[in-house]
């Protein structure tokens, strides 16, 4: 089983602070996806990274895929309370494009 | 905007009872997924349908769980009998289908199951 390890597991910060969360594996992935899940809702896809070294930006969120395609990071600039949620990384693989998720990072942004 | 619908949103049941969840995918999405998400964990795939056929049920506890998608549209996931360890969020997702192409999975709001 190709496990995805996410860190930290929990993160509580004040509004306006910057933060970075990580997703690591011992295996190489063809692509990696990041999701945000708000309480009581299903996950929503934020971005898919495919190329080693790739950087994608989504407003205040910056996603990076490691050169070796074994790790990824999500950086949030000037966090806002609306960023609160569970951030999940997932790999998609196999003939049926099955998603395998990490355990997630639970982010709380306090006003 | 089209969404994946699930019902009920919350379900409390006693152990050994039967429970069922319903999912209506986005119209036109041939692929439907059921995931289980235990508190503090990421979602885990239970079963995947392509139209009315099961594509992957390798993680479905078949002694007590069953899933069907008779007409290739909406789907039902059943647990009988429920056990305390089945308490979790049950998520349904759907996606378009293409050969050699992966499409985004859209998730419903989930059913929160509590077994007492």
């Amino acid at each position: 089983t190709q496990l995805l390890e996410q860190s930290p597991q929990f993160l509580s910060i004040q509004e306006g602070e910057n933060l970075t969360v990580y997703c690591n594996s011992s295996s190489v992935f063809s692509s990696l996806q990041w999701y945000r899940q708000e309480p009581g809702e299903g996950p929503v896809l934020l971005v898919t990274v495919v190329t080693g070294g790739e950087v994608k930006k989504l407003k205040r969120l910056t996603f990076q895929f490691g050169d070796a395609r074994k790790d990824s990071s999500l950086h949030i600039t000037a966090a806002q309370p609306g960023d609160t949620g569970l951030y999940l990384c997932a790999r998609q693989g196999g003939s049926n494009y099955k998603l395998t998720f990490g355990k997630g990072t639970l982010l709380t942004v306090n006003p | 905007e089209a969404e994946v619908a699930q019902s009920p949103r919350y379900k409390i049941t006693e152990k050994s009872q039967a429970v069922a969840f319903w999912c209506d995918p986005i119209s036109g999405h041939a692929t439907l997924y059921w995931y289980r998400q235990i508190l503090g964990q990421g979602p885990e795939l239970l079963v995947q349908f392509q139209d009315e056929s099961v594509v992957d049920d390798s993680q479905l506890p078949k002694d007590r769980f069953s899933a069907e998608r008779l007409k290739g549209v909406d789907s039902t996931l059943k647990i009988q009998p429920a056990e305390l360890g089945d308490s979790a969020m049950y998520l349904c997702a759907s996606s378009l289908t293409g050969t050699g192409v992966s499409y985004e999975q859209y998730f419903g709001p989930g059913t929160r199951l509590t077994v007492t």
Side-chain angles (χ1 to χ4, degrees):
Chain A
T1 302
Q2 297 173 334
L3 297 177
L4 290 170
E5 297 187 2
Q6 293 191 242
S7 61
Q9 188 176 357
F10 302 98
L11 186 57
S12 180
I13 61 171
Q14 294 299 122
E15 182 176 1
E17 294 183 356
N18 302 331
L19 67 113
T20 303
V21 298
Y22 302 91
C23 177
N24 297 288
S25 173
S26 58
S27 302
V28 174
F29 297 119
S30 57
S31 67
L32 195 80
Q33 298 181 347
W34 283 94
Y35 290 78
R36 179 169 64 210
Q37 183 176 20
E38 298 185 10
E41 300 295 330
V44 175
L45 179 65
L46 296 173
V47 75
T48 300
V49 286
V50 178
T51 306
E54 181 177 8
V55 177
K56 284 191 173 179
K57 293 191 175 185
L58 184 65
K59 297 183 180 178
R60 294 177 293 101
L61 278 61
T62 302
F63 304 85
Q64 186 163 6
F65 202 15
D67 291 340
R69 291 185 289 129
K70 291 184 178 181
D71 58 273
S72 182
S73 64
L74 159 59
H75 181 81
I76 301 179
T77 303
Q80 299 177 0
D83 296 327
T84 292
L86 180 67
Y87 288 82
L88 295 157
C89 65
R91 62 172 288 268
Q92 192 167 31
S95 59
N96 60 339
Y97 300 106
K98 174 180 175 178
L99 280 175
T100 301
F101 287 87
K103 291 185 177 182
T105 293
L106 185 60
L107 172 66
T108 302
V109 182
N110 303 296
Chain B
E1 184 175 307
E3 296 179 340
V4 176
Q6 289 189 248
S7 66
R9 292 293 306 272
Y10 304 92
K11 180 70 178 178
I12 300 174
T13 191
E14 294 181 347
K15 62 180 181 180
S16 80
Q17 296 298 305
V19 63
F21 315 126
W22 177 79
C23 172
D24 190 12
I26 294 173
S27 178
H29 283 194
T31 306
L32 184 147
Y33 313 80
W34 282 102
Y35 290 85
R36 177 172 60 185
Q37 186 176 21
I38 297 170
L39 192 63
Q41 309 264 345
E44 177 189 29
L45 181 68
L46 291 175
V47 62
Q48 178 180 347
F49 289 92
Q50 175 67 40
D51 298 310
E52 66 276 8
S53 301
V54 173
V55 173
D56 185 347
D57 63 357
S58 57
Q59 300 302 311
L60 188 71
K62 298 179 185 64
D63 57 334
R64 298 184 300 107
F65 286 64
S66 64
E68 60 183 16
R69 194 184 183 199
L70 294 177
K71 297 182 178 179
V73 181
D74 58 338
S75 175
T76 302
L77 179 69
K78 297 179 181 178
I79 308 175
Q80 183 175 16
E83 297 181 352
L84 295 177
D86 296 332
S87 294
M89 174 79 88
Y90 290 83
L91 294 162
C92 178
S94 69
S95 72
L96 294 169
T97 303
T99 302
V101 178
S102 66
Y103 289 94
E104 179 178 351
Q105 293 185 25
Y106 294 85
F107 286 81
T111 295
R112 169 70 67 187
L113 173 66
T114 302
V115 182
T116 62

